[in-house]
Amino acid sequence: VTERFSAPTALDAALAAVADGARPIAGGTDLVVGVRQGKWPMPADLVAIDRIAELRGIVATADGLWIGATTSHADLASDPRIQDDWTALADAAAIIGSPATRHVGTLGGNLANASPAAELSGPLACFDATIVVSSVVGRRRIPIGELATAPGRTSLEAGELIVGVEVASIPDAGSCYVRLGFRRQMEIAVVAATAVVGIADGVVSVARIALTALAPIVHRVPDAESRLLGTDGGPDAATAAGRVAAEACQPISDVRATADYRRAMAAVVVRRAILGAAARARGEAVAIPASESLFGAG
Amino acid sequence: MHHGAGCSVPSWGGDVGIAEWREGPAPGGGGHGRDPIGAIGHQLSDDGRQLNPYLLDYKLQTCADVPSIRVAFVDAPALNAGPKGLKGLKGLAEPPCIPTPGAIANAIAAATGVAVDRLPMTAQRLWSALDTSSRDGGA
């Protein structure tokens, strides 16, 4: 039972509460649902951070974007800058949960929850995002690859709050996030993949690939990226990189799928993500979210 | 890819103005009949406990998954209406639930050359059937 609850409008007040042991809550789409499922008790001390204006919103910076931690998935998915230059992030944000989840669920919450299936982590890993965290002591910046450490665990220290995410633009690149699931809404990835592909003079000059729900944490796949670099980014190259990624993953068997099926599908979602990203890099239209438009594709 | 589906419903709405509303329940039944391919199904542990007892994990289709369904009525009144029957009336929404999974199963077999003989006919089960078939030198 929650005994203490505050909803400050100033970041300093929220940081003081977090330093005092309060759990931050924004949309509550993981925290409260987890309580109802019996995963954990309702925290005794909560601080709502959704009224802090400086934590919400998407702001252009010199080389990219600053995205506030309490920016909703719906706002990410509908932002024209994200749709154009960080398209995989829009693909992912557009298919988290349901319309209701996307309305209240937040970027910071998705990252702090550190699910192996976290929708936004793959795109942000491929964009080399930097996570900015604050505490009463000060601010520090964490590379996205060092945030999640295990399912449900992060490298955040006691008293630290995610305040925003920085992403830099990648010229001449396209990106794509593809998720395999049982249904289109209210779904968690069985497997998913993100690709960022840059093409210069007909040759892949930027290749970034991340796997989701295929290991304890969402992670990049350097071997698959190397395999794709220097190719034409076409179907044969995408298939080859997908196979390399499938060999690199560490799938588990659970209620949703067997490890063998996940490994086989890893190759498929990586191939589709690469082809979607390459198509976008060439200026071809691939609708957002890519998963829905690729539904049933080969 | 756009999904379309046809649904032929044996029904008899009689002649009392039912035609206007009878097209409502039929797609619902057909959509429900599609659940055996999209749902996750009961997952049981070795000792028989259900592993996905809540709707968060026991996934059913949502409105977003159901394709547009065209409805065609076969107007054949019930022959054995009996004393409680009225003008040969039949059920309307349940009938499309029943043949739809069979039609989908046959369509999967026709398209892939392998049969998925268990419900739900998940993508993983189809993949397993294809994998087994290719290892056995079949399709």
Side-chain angles (χ1 to χ4, degrees), chain A residues 84-112:
Chain A
D84 286 348
D85 292 342
W86 294 272
T87 318
L89 192 59
D91 283 333
I95 58 174
I96 293 176
S98 65
T101 318
R102 295 191 285 275
H103 181 64
V104 296
T106 65
L107 166 65
N110 195 244
L111 293 172

Side-chain angles (χ1 to χ4, degrees), chain A:
Chain A
V1 178
T2 300
E3 293 160 359
R4 275 213 301 176
F5 178 82
S6 63
T9 54
L11 178 58
D12 285 350
L15 293 177
V18 172
D20 204 24
R23 279 283 298 278
I25 182 167
T29 55
D30 284 310
L31 181 69
V32 178
V33 172
V35 170
R36 289 190 178 145
Q37 276 186 303
K39 281 189 187 170
W40 45 68
M42 196 70 192
D45 196 350
L46 277 179
V47 55
I49 57 171
D50 59 320
R51 296 178 195 179
I52 302 168
E54 70 184 277
L55 292 188
R56 186 175 189 126
I58 303 166
V59 181
T61 61
D63 62 346
L65 293 179
W66 159 269
I67 311 173
T70 61
T71 304
S72 72
H73 307 311
D75 286 348
L76 292 174
S78 62
D79 187 277
R81 296 162 294 183
I82 291 178
Q83 290 179 346
D84 286 348
D85 292 342
W86 294 272
T87 318
L89 192 59
D91 283 333
I95 58 174
I96 293 176
S98 65
T101 318
R102 295 191 285 275
H103 181 64
V104 296
T106 65
L107 166 65
N110 195 244
L111 293 172
N113 191 53
S115 163
E119 225 79 68
L120 303 181
S121 296
L124 291 175
C126 286
F127 294 130
D128 278 335
T130 299
I131 314 305
V132 181
V133 305
S134 272
S135 70
V136 290
V137 180
R139 238 166 222 230
R140 75 183 172 108
R141 305 163 90 246
I142 307 174
I144 178 80
E146 295 172 17
L147 182 69
T149 56
R153 303 256 167 214
T154 68
S155 58
L156 290 178
E157 289 169 12
E160 285 186 330
L161 179 72
I162 297 175
V163 293
V165 172
E166 296 169 347
V167 286
S169 62
I170 307 169
D172 305 320
S175 65
C176 186
Y177 176 76
V178 171
R179 178 180 82 182
L180 174 70
F182 284 86
R183 57 185 181 183
R184 294 180 179 184
Q185 297 283 334
M186 303 296 291
E187 184 54 308
I188 299 168
V190 172
V191 301
T194 310
V196 173
V197 176
I199 298 180
D201 300 327
V203 173
V204 173
S205 56
V206 176
R208 299 179 187 174
I209 295 165
L211 295 176
T212 300
L214 280 158
I217 58 172
V218 176
H219 66 96
R220 292 267 293 270
V221 197
D223 289 349
E225 295 174 355
S226 313
R227 182 66 187 76
L228 187 61
L229 270 176
T231 68
D232 63 357
D236 290 346
T239 300
R243 288 203 183 113
V244 172
E247 285 164 20
C249 70
Q250 312 153 46
I252 57 165
S253 292
D254 64 10
V255 165
R256 306 167 53 66
T258 64
D260 285 348
Y261 179 63
R262 280 197 165 98
R263 189 182 296 282
M265 293 307 106
V268 175
V269 291
V270 168
R271 184 181 76 231
R272 291 184 186 179
I274 290 170
L275 293 177
R280 284 169 171 166
R282 289 190 297 262
E284 297 166 21
V286 177
I288 299 169
S291 287
E292 193 144 326
S293 58
L294 290 168
F295 201 82

Side-chain angles (χ1 to χ4, degrees), chain B residues 8 35 49-50 61 64 78 102-103 128-129:
Chain B
S8 175
D35 242 347
R49 284 180 306 111
Q50 185 161 357
Q61 300 291 282
S128 296

